[in-house]
Amino acid sequence: MGQARLPARRGLGCCVLVLLLLLGGSGSPGTTPPPRAPWAEEQGPVSEVGPWGRVRYEAVKKHLGAVGALSKQYWQYLACKVWQEGCEEEEKQQEEREASWGFPLVGQDYLEILSAWYCSFSKCCETGDCRIINNITGLEADLSGQLHGQHLAKEVVLRAVQGFLQSPRPQKALVLSFHGWSGTGKNFVARMVASHLYRDGLKSDCVRVFISLLHFPHHNYMDSYKAQLRRQLSETLQRCRQALLIFDEAEKLHSSLLDAIRPFMAQHDSKGQQRSIFLFLSNLGGNTINEVALEFWRAGRAREEISLELLEQRLRLELQEAAENSYAHSHLLREKLIDFVVPFLPLEYHHVKLCVRDAFLARGLPYTEATLDQVAQMMVFVPKEEKLFSAQGCKSVPQRINYFLP
């Protein structure tokens, strides 16, 4: 039978005790006894016999006494940093350390490692960490290797996110607006951003996803939705020093909700300690993007020649003149709250084949070129004459490969 699992704190405490023993050389004999750790239990009399015996017990006791003062300082520091307990006393001790001595550098390094380790399996938003990883290298690799046919989206998203995170004091939130047909990769990129900025991806406490027709379906309840949205955004930004806020089906987001969103988009933390990224995902502008891609194909030009300046100009004109003026998306553009309009191009046949290949690889299944062609040919392609672009992009590819499983 397996041993009973120790509580998380107790397991961490054992690691801390070992650490303190390793760091104990900084103390001096004769100092006060070490503090009792939170998990300590009452012990009976120490046996004079056995492998430890009185002599070894006294040796350990003497060693712990030598590092007692330093151990207490380390414990208070760690308890405040990880669990936010005893922080008032820690602040007083911090003032004394600044006036006299500080933790040995190696000790600080080990405590940072322990704190990060603890936060890998426990909620640490209150500490300001929230398991934020900001893995820009991984984001760049996945955008290059897994996002097919979207040279503009790859460039804009990576440049915008990297520049924002590297800015010492951003003036406002970063706001990106994704546009394109369904299945072209908007949600895929949003999930990718979340997974590379946060250890828990979309499950992180610092990531919130709002779907217009799911979270705000009835126009008669907009006042209630507005209050709920304002509270949820406020709680997330208070809890996390870096938040990711995703609004799917943004073209259906009612304009009255903008009153709840706008203050957080324009919010500026003068100390540069609070950052937020807004992603708005919309099908609006998809036809304009497709028309430009079709024009380039008919002219015999590669789609990679399509520039962001050309598409962004035409997109902004269409979106600002949109008939759905009761929706927030057009207001965001008119008020210049959107930093980057990110176009997602329609996917061609060879892009769909790459999606099919990725779906097989993700499930660890074998495939052949013939199988990839069979799955891709199940998709509907438009326009009727050229049959150039997948009408659903890669959206239903993972479900379609089930037809070819043994």
Side-chain angles (χ1 to χ4, degrees):
M1 293 180 63
Q3 296 180 348
R5 185 180 297 274
L6 289 172
R9 275 198 180 186
R10 187 167 183 174
L12 177 61
C14 296
C15 296
V16 175
L17 182 57
V18 173
L19 171 64
L20 297 180
L21 289 173
L22 293 174
L23 297 173
S26 300
S28 58
T31 53
T32 57
R36 179 178 295 273
W39 61 84
E41 299 174 358
E42 293 297 329
Q43 303 290 336
V46 179
S47 174
E48 296 287 342
V49 296
W52 281 88
R54 174 63 61 181
V55 175
R56 296 190 182 185
Y57 171 76
E58 291 295 336
V60 171
K61 181 179 178 182
K62 180 178 179 181
H63 183 68
L64 289 175
V67 300
L70 183 61
S71 300
K72 183 177 181 181
Q73 299 286 347
Y74 276 119
W75 176 254
Q76 288 174 351
Y77 176 84
L78 185 66
C80 176
K81 183 173 180 61
V82 176
W83 298 301
Q84 290 198 344
E85 294 179 356
C87 288
E88 294 181 359
E89 185 176 357
E90 165 59 21
E91 290 174 358
K92 295 178 181 178
Q93 296 289 346
Q94 177 68 21
E95 294 176 359
E96 295 176 5
R97 288 197 296 270
E98 291 175 351
S100 56
W101 61 277
F103 287 144
L105 183 58
V106 65
Q108 290 186 352
D109 290 342
Y110 273 110
L111 284 172
E112 292 295 334
I113 292 172
L114 278 172
S115 177
W117 169 75
Y118 179 79
C119 288
S120 68
F121 61 84
S122 180
K123 294 182 179 180
C124 288
C125 251
E126 290 76 14
T127 69
D129 180 13
C130 291
R131 299 170 298 280
I132 299 170
I133 56 177
N134 289 347
N135 181 11
I136 298 300
T137 302
L139 177 61
E140 182 178 13
D142 279 358
L143 285 172
S144 298
Q146 299 183 30
L147 182 63
H148 307 301
Q150 305 297 352
H151 67 285
L152 294 175
K154 292 178 184 179
E155 177 186 355
V156 176
V157 170
L158 182 64
R159 184 180 64 192
V161 172
Q162 184 174 22
F164 179 72
L165 296 179
Q166 291 178 348
S167 174
R169 294 184 179 180
Q171 298 298 312
K172 61 181 289 293
L174 174 64
V175 185
L176 304 180
S177 185
F178 293 178
H179 296 269
W181 263 7
S182 177
T184 53
K186 301 185 298 295
N187 276 283
F188 183 62
V189 172
R191 290 195 302 271
M192 196 180 292
V193 170
S195 65
H196 287 292
L197 297 191
Y198 303 91
R199 193 181 310 276
D200 298 330
L202 290 176
K203 296 181 180 179
S204 173
D205 292 335
C206 294
V207 178
R208 296 300 303 263
V209 179
F210 301 96
I211 303 174
S212 296
L213 293 184
L214 176 64
H215 294 95
F216 322 111
H218 304 294
H219 287 190
N220 294 335
Y221 300 105
M222 283 300 153
D223 289 339
S224 176
Y225 295 152
K226 188 192 305 183
Q228 293 175 11
L229 180 58
R230 184 183 291 113
R231 187 190 71 252
Q232 291 170 341
L233 293 177
S234 178
E235 290 175 352
T236 303
L237 293 173
Q238 288 176 8
R239 183 170 61 242
C240 307
R241 62 181 177 86
Q242 177 182 299
L244 176 63
L245 307 160
I246 303 171
F247 290 83
D248 198 3
E249 299 177 349
E251 72 276 8
K252 301 179 179 68
L253 192 66
H254 198 274
S255 60
S256 63
L257 295 176
L258 193 57
D259 294 335
I261 302 172
R262 188 187 292 107
F264 301 102
M265 296 173 63
Q267 190 172 359
H268 169 57
D269 177 11
S270 59
K271 296 181 180 179
Q273 297 177 348
Q274 177 66 55
R275 299 169 189 266
S276 53
I277 300 175
F278 286 78
L279 303 182
F280 291 90
L281 284 52
S282 172
N283 292 335
L284 280 181
N287 290 335
T288 296
I289 296 171
N290 295 354
E291 288 172 5
V292 173
L294 185 59
E295 289 172 7
F296 271 68
W297 182 84
R298 286 173 174 168
R301 301 175 63 184
R303 61 192 281 137
E304 288 74 21
E305 297 181 37
I306 300 175
S307 67
L308 178 63
E309 292 75 19
L310 172 63
L311 268 180
E312 186 174 21
Q313 183 180 12
R314 293 180 62 166
L315 267 176
R316 287 185 179 273
L317 285 175
E318 177 189 345
L319 297 175
Q320 288 176 354
E321 296 172 358
E324 293 103 342
N325 288 327
S326 62
Y327 292 101
H329 211 240
S330 56
H331 288 269
L332 292 172
L333 285 162
R334 281 199 293 268
E335 296 180 27
K336 303 187 184 304
L337 292 174
I338 293 176
D339 298 305
F340 295 93
V341 172
V342 185
F344 283 74
L345 301 173
L347 299 181
E348 300 177 14
Y349 183 82
H350 65 282
H351 300 132
V352 175
K353 283 186 63 177
L354 292 173
C355 292
V356 177
R357 180 205 63 186
D358 291 348
F360 275 103
L361 291 174
R363 297 172 64 173
L365 300 173
Y367 64 89
T368 64
E369 283 296 318
T371 305
L372 300 185
D373 281 317
Q374 285 180 295
V375 178
Q377 289 167 5
M378 295 176 68
M379 310 296 285
V380 177
F381 288 85
V382 295
K384 186 179 296 185
E385 297 80 15
E386 291 88 350
K387 296 188 180 300
L388 182 61
F389 304 132
S390 172
Q392 294 179 292
C394 287
K395 196 160 193 173
S396 61
V397 162
Q399 290 75 33
R400 291 179 186 271
I401 67 173
N402 293 328
Y403 289 102
F404 299 90
L405 299 181

